[in-house]
DNA sequence: CTATCATTTTCCAAAATGAGAAAACGATAG
DNA sequence: CTATCGTTTTCTCATTTTGGAAAATGATAG
């Protein structure tokens, strides 16, 4: 129990992981989006996500080549939900967090097909594939 | 803000500090009592207590030679109260935490005058000073 | 099956953290 | 003032954590 509690607290004890949690507050994102927003090496992002998952704060979903992470719904870890609630209520006006949200909005809108390809629902636009 | 949040999370991200918080749940204790219950070197306990204080989770009170710590009442850190609430609701049946409470009860009752001398109200017993 | 792409794992160096001995500090008692 | 006692600060060492390059893995496209 103590160890379980400690694992969640440790998962929160890092600015990058806190930013990831806030980034995922509104819904799931794929790893490459998170990597792009935070400006991290893929390996780094992946490890932070793994830590959050092990702590029971996030869950994973695979869709083809892409892996999506989102807040854990039913916690394997009994403390995770409480901590997530706390994260949700905190840092609403934090400069870094709001800036991350802004960058995410840009990335989600503009670079959908060039970043991770296929955006959330592969909007069937006229240009199917741009290839010079 | 992010940094402030991180400081509190980091303070919780250590089993010894979690045990200290649970130990102080029912009221203040002096450093030597905490040291005795946890079996730590004084320097180690002192540093953990300092970390919890800096994070806004604990406050300090000096009484003569002794220093007492207790849960922070009005938080300098806006996140501290929420985290303390979470700690209060957690680990109620954790083996380590309950064992710590048991040891504390023993120490508080038996070794009052030999541990930190003068227990909570210096019960005016007949033996004022034992000196061979 | 092979090539390719997103993600994860492995490996390594740099930085942060935790523990205790010894010295420094603060306060009381004589 | 001096001695003593509880606590805090150095200082040092071992361990853990973090971040990224490179290699390994998983999955799709051809």
């Amino acid at each position: 129990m103590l160890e379980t509690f400690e694992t969640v607290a440790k998962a929160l004890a890092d600015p990058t992981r806190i930013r990831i949690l806030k980034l995922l507050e509104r819904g799931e994102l794929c790893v490459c989006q998170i990597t792009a927003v935070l400006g991290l090496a893929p390996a780094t992002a992946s490890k932070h996500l793994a830590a959050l998952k092990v702590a029971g704060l996030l869950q994973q979903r695979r869709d083809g080549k892409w892996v999506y992470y989102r807040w854990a719904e039913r916690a394997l870890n009994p403390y995770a939900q409480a901590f997530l609630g706390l994260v949700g209520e905190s840092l609403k006006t934090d400069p870094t967090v709001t800036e991350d949200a802004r960058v995410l909005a840009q990335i989600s809108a503009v670079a959908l097909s060039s970043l991770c390809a296929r955006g959330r629902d592969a909007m069937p636009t006229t240009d199917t594939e741009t290839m010079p």
Side-chain angles (χ1 to χ4, degrees), chain A:
Chain A
M1 287 184 83
L2 212 178
E3 198 188 329
T4 311
F5 188 94
E6 186 194 344
T7 302
V8 190
K10 273 193 159 69
L12 279 184
D14 176 275
T16 302
R17 288 193 292 269
I18 297 170
R19 288 169 71 192
I20 291 176
L21 285 177
K22 292 302 282 183
L23 217 40
L24 293 173
E25 202 172 0
R26 305 281 172 89
E28 69 179 15
L29 293 174
C30 99
V31 177
C32 65
Q33 289 178 296
I34 297 167
T35 300
V37 173
L38 302 182
L40 295 174
T44 306
S46 183
K47 274 183 293 188
H48 282 304
L49 289 164
L52 290 164
K53 186 185 164 199
V54 166
L57 292 164
L58 294 183
Q59 68 186 70
Q60 211 184 16
R61 174 179 78 85
R62 181 154 211 140
D63 181 12
K65 296 191 229 178
W66 296 280
V67 175
Y68 292 84
Y69 281 89
R70 68 180 154 196
W71 281 24
E73 276 148 19
R74 289 172 300 132
L76 305 168
N77 184 317
Y79 306 110
Q81 291 304 310
F83 275 97
L84 282 176
L86 214 152
V87 170
E89 288 164 17
S90 304
L91 301 170
K92 287 177 182 172
T93 62
D94 177 79
T96 307
V97 170
T98 52
E99 170 66 9
D100 286 346
R102 199 183 62 72
V103 174
L104 174 62
Q106 279 191 307
I107 280 178
S108 299
V110 177
L112 269 186
S113 47
S114 59
L115 190 69
C116 286
R118 189 168 68 92
R120 68 193 54 267
D121 39 24
M123 177 175 59
T125 27
T126 44
D127 57 344
T128 3
E129 224 118 341
T130 328
M131 192 87 183

